[in-house]
Amino acid sequence: DGGITQSPKYLFRKEGQNVTLSCEQNLNHDAMYWYRQDPGQGLRLIYYSQIVNDFQKGDIAEGYSVSREKKESFPLTVTSAQKNPTAFYLCASSIGNRDRSEKLFFGSGTQLSVL
Amino acid sequence: QKEVEQDPGPLSVPEGAIVSLNCTYSNSAFQYFMWYRQYSRKGPELLMYTYSSGNKEDGRFTAQVDKSSKYISLFIRDSQPSDSATYLCAMKVSGGGKLIFGQGTELSVKP
């Protein structure tokens, strides 16, 4: 089945620790995205990548880092600089053509909590 | 002022009711309008997609776009308990740019 796989489903971070959230897709999509979801705030864009080895900051990139070494993979690292990391993190992908990039396909999310 | 405003609810209705979910927006350049449905602790899934103005119907769901009022709606007829979810509106300008999401409306359909 084609889709987007996020892991782990739940993740706990200790203070001062970096953690990495995995996102893999087999949809052959060029574009991939990371969103953060907090209660009552909708989805906020952290980073996005339209092509391998290239990515751009979204609205709330501070305290996060990404890489895009392979088309299928777009891992997100939550660094110790992110002081309020507790949230539901969603990875998404789209075909990538800029006039068709509005149709996003989402993974099942990772809930990150601080110990 | 946020670019997209959506009443967060929660909205509770009895089974069989007609549900109206709404979003307003400020950017007149938006051309693509979408509704995503998100079940609890899951990723959103695309429910309805509309380009520019007009109506679109898919089964029990109807999406309306009124660009003159900068207002979009999603109607659910004969609502079912399985429709209980958070509904997110989203919109985008043509030719690039990012997708802008509303805050989401939590809907509960009681049997």
Side-chain angles (χ1 to χ4, degrees), chain B residues 15-27:
Chain B
E15 184 175 354
I18 296 175
V19 176
S20 172
L21 304 168
N22 312 294
C23 287
T24 59
Y25 62 93
S26 57
N27 187 349

Side-chain angles (χ1 to χ4, degrees), chain A residues 13-24:
Chain A
R13 192 192 90 166
K14 295 180 181 178
E15 193 170 336
Q17 185 182 39
N18 293 352
V19 293
T20 298
L21 284 61
S22 171
C23 179
E24 303 278 333

Side-chain angles (χ1 to χ4, degrees), chain A residues 61-114:
Chain A
E62 186 174 351
Y64 301 97
S65 66
V66 294
S67 63
R68 187 84 187 278
E69 297 176 1
K70 298 187 302 181
K71 187 176 184 177
E72 302 80 20
S73 179
F74 192 41
L76 173 74
T77 296
V78 183
T79 74
S80 56
Q82 173 49 247
K83 298 305 180 187
N84 184 23
T86 296
F88 191 54
Y89 290 86
L90 287 160
C91 179
S93 71
S94 68
I95 290 174
N97 178 292
R98 62 181 191 172
D99 281 328
R100 299 173 68 186
S101 61
E102 66 282 354
K103 294 187 178 180
L104 298 183
F105 295 81
F106 285 88
S108 294
T110 293
Q111 175 64 47
L112 175 61
S113 302
V114 176

Side-chain angles (χ1 to χ4, degrees), chain B residues 1-6 22-33 52-53 64-73 89-92 100:
Chain B
Q1 182 188 6
K2 292 183 178 180
E3 275 191 284
V4 179
E5 295 278 2
Q6 184 176 5
N22 312 294
C23 287
T24 59
Y25 62 93
S26 57
N27 187 349
S28 58
F30 285 142
Q31 291 278 26
Y32 297 94
F33 302 92
S52 194
S53 286
Q64 287 186 351
V65 175
D66 182 349
K67 294 189 72 178
S68 61
S69 302
K70 298 192 182 72
Y71 189 87
I72 69 170
S73 300
C89 65
M91 44 200 82
K92 181 178 174 293
I100 308 296

Side-chain angles (χ1 to χ4, degrees), chain A residues 9-10 35 37 40-43 45 48 58-59 87-88 90 98-109 111, chain B residues 2 8 32 34 36 38 41-46 49 86 88 92-104:
Chain A
K9 192 171 179 65
Y10 300 95
Y35 287 89
Q37 187 174 32
Q41 293 197 42
L43 303 182
L45 184 63
Y48 65 102
D59 300 316
F88 191 54
L90 287 160
R98 62 181 191 172
D99 281 328
R100 299 173 68 186
S101 61
E102 66 282 354
K103 294 187 178 180
L104 298 183
F105 295 81
F106 285 88
S108 294
Q111 175 64 47
Chain B
K2 292 183 178 180
Y32 297 94
M34 282 136 280
Y36 283 83
Q38 184 179 23
R41 298 290 100 183
K42 299 289 184 185
E45 56 180 336
L46 183 63
Y49 167 88
T86 296
L88 297 142
K92 181 178 174 293
V93 301
S94 180
K98 61 185 179 184
L99 200 57
I100 308 296
F101 284 88
Q103 300 95 310

